[in-house]
Amino acid sequence: MPVRFVLDCDTGSDDAIAIFAATAHPDLELVAVTTVNGNVALEHVTDNTLRVLDHVGASVPVHAGAARPFMRPDFPVPRAVLNGDSDFQKDSLDFPAAVSAAETQSAVSFLIEAYMDEAFADVTLVATGPLTNIALALATEPRLAARIPRLVVMGGAHANGNVTAAAEFNFWVDPEAAEAVLGAGLREVVIVPLDATHSAPLTAADCDEYEKIGTPAAQGAAKLIRHRLAHDQAASGQAAVSTPVHDPMCVAYLARPDLFTEAVEAFVSVETTGSRTLGELLVDTRPWCPQPPNAAVALRASGEVYREFLRTAFLAGQR
Ligand code: BDR
Ligand code: CA
């Protein structure tokens, strides 16, 4: 039986690779996609998601979600200021214009209706963008915390962040949503922070392999990973040998629970007020931490298992 899941994402190049792998891998079934403001503005996230699904001919319902953070009018620092003149996040991914369309039901309404239904009792929720939709759904229907069987989140960093020294992008964009979701008492939470994603980066040799495989999903992934390598090279001024490809790791974990080679169960929370640490993931590993663990936090991943997962997906192509 394939692992069924809903993907809440902000497509975004690595979210796109997660979708390519998810729609192709024989052990996974992507039930629906919900979109959220993040890497680009919501309208572009939704359009990019439809482009990516159309590129592989996958028919998966897409529900558009929150256009701004849970409580704030905008990111802590507006997107234009954050991105400066970098062209890393282009509004539109380089795939043909979408012919499919989003559903009329909003992401938040969909998540509530779906997870209050017994039919979703086994459906994992995977979040690879800011946690705004999930925070809104939990605020609207608190019983969801007991209904969602498992939440797998790409977000946070136990060591350094990427937007600031303390904060990773997804949690920094909407710290109040991240704090609300992690504190909601969900049954099972798995966090995939930068520590894990940076431990198993992909390379140009991986892109060569995906291009040879040649399925639409494999070619699409290679194009996006090459763009990430080129960006890293331009940003650092040094040849980029490898680049972290964050979001597909959450999807890989569903099919390959042996992906993470080091993890810790701990009480986790997110900083919502610090002037230098806004959006920081706090992983309380103190033996005397007064709160019981509320998440498993992956700290290292196996590059071999990650590559096997992606290879299997791309060889299978689109079902
Ligand atoms: C995360 O932030 C986004 O830019 C990526 O899509 C990924 O989800 C990495 O910090
Ligand atoms: Ca993302």
Side-chain angles (χ1 to χ4, degrees):
M1 284 283 283
V3 178
R4 305 202 304 145
F5 71 104
V6 170
L7 179 65
D8 185 69
C9 62
D10 63 334
T11 326
S13 78
D14 56 336
D15 304 79
I17 301 165
I19 293 173
F20 286 144
T23 51
H25 198 284
D27 299 337
L28 297 178
E29 183 183 337
L30 179 59
V31 174
V33 179
T34 52
T35 62
V36 66
N37 170 54
N39 280 318
V40 287
L42 179 72
E43 74 217 70
H44 298 299
V45 169
T46 305
D47 178 59
N48 283 334
T49 303
L50 295 168
R51 285 177 186 229
V52 167
L53 288 167
D54 286 355
H55 177 71
V56 292
S59 174
V60 178
V62 175
H63 298 265
R68 68 167 180 83
F70 188 42
M71 289 167 65
R72 296 166 189 259
D74 197 353
F75 292 0
V77 170
R79 188 196 315 279
V81 177
L82 176 73
N83 289 347
D85 53 13
S86 163
D87 73 340
F88 180 55
Q89 298 292 355
K90 290 187 271 186
D91 281 348
S92 295
L93 292 178
D94 187 16
F95 295 101
V99 291
S100 60
E103 307 292 312
T104 50
Q105 185 182 28
S106 78
V108 173
S109 156
F110 165 77
L111 288 170
I112 294 171
E113 191 181 297
Y115 279 102
M116 291 309 288
D117 188 326
E118 234 358 80
F120 271 63
D122 68 325
V123 178
T124 296
L125 180 56
V126 174
T128 59
L131 291 173
T132 319
N133 287 337
I134 301 172
L136 284 164
L138 285 163
T140 311
E141 177 46 275
R143 288 177 299 172
L144 272 191
R147 309 281 310 190
I148 296 169
R150 176 168 63 156
L151 174 68
V152 180
V153 178
M154 194 283 127
H158 188 36
N160 269 3
N162 51 10
V163 177
T164 67
E168 176 279 336
F169 179 79
N170 289 337
F171 285 7
W172 175 85
V173 163
D174 197 345
E176 286 79 12
E179 170 68 351
V181 170
L182 297 186
L186 272 84
R187 283 154 57 189
E188 182 181 347
V189 177
V190 177
I191 299 182
V192 183
L194 295 178
D195 313 73
T197 65
H198 280 254
S199 73
L202 299 178
T203 64
D206 294 311
C207 297
D208 293 343
E209 182 187 355
Y210 303 154
E211 277 156 5
K212 263 194 213 118
I213 290 173
T215 53
Q219 281 177 331
K223 176 154 82 172
L224 295 168
I225 297 167
R226 285 203 195 282
H227 177 69
R228 300 178 76 86
L229 284 164
H231 168 266
D232 289 1
Q233 182 157 338
S236 68
Q238 292 171 353
V241 176
S242 63
T243 190
V245 182
H246 314 281
D247 294 338
M249 214 171 251
C250 292
V251 174
Y253 170 67
L254 304 186
R256 295 292 305 260
D258 56 338
L259 174 64
F260 300 124
T261 54
E262 191 185 337
V264 63
E265 300 253 340
F267 177 74
V268 296
S269 58
V270 176
E271 175 60 72
T272 57
T273 54
S275 60
R276 296 181 194 176
T277 54
L278 187 66
E280 178 178 20
L281 171 69
L282 291 147
V283 183
D284 195 337
T285 55
R286 294 174 300 165
W288 53 88
C289 172
Q291 291 98 342
N294 58 356
V297 183
L299 295 174
R300 273 195 88 74
S302 157
E304 196 183 324
V305 172
Y306 194 31
R307 288 188 168 86
E308 276 174 15
F309 164 80
L310 291 168
R311 191 178 301 123
T312 302
F314 296 150
L315 282 167
Q318 178 259 321
R319 285 169 291 154

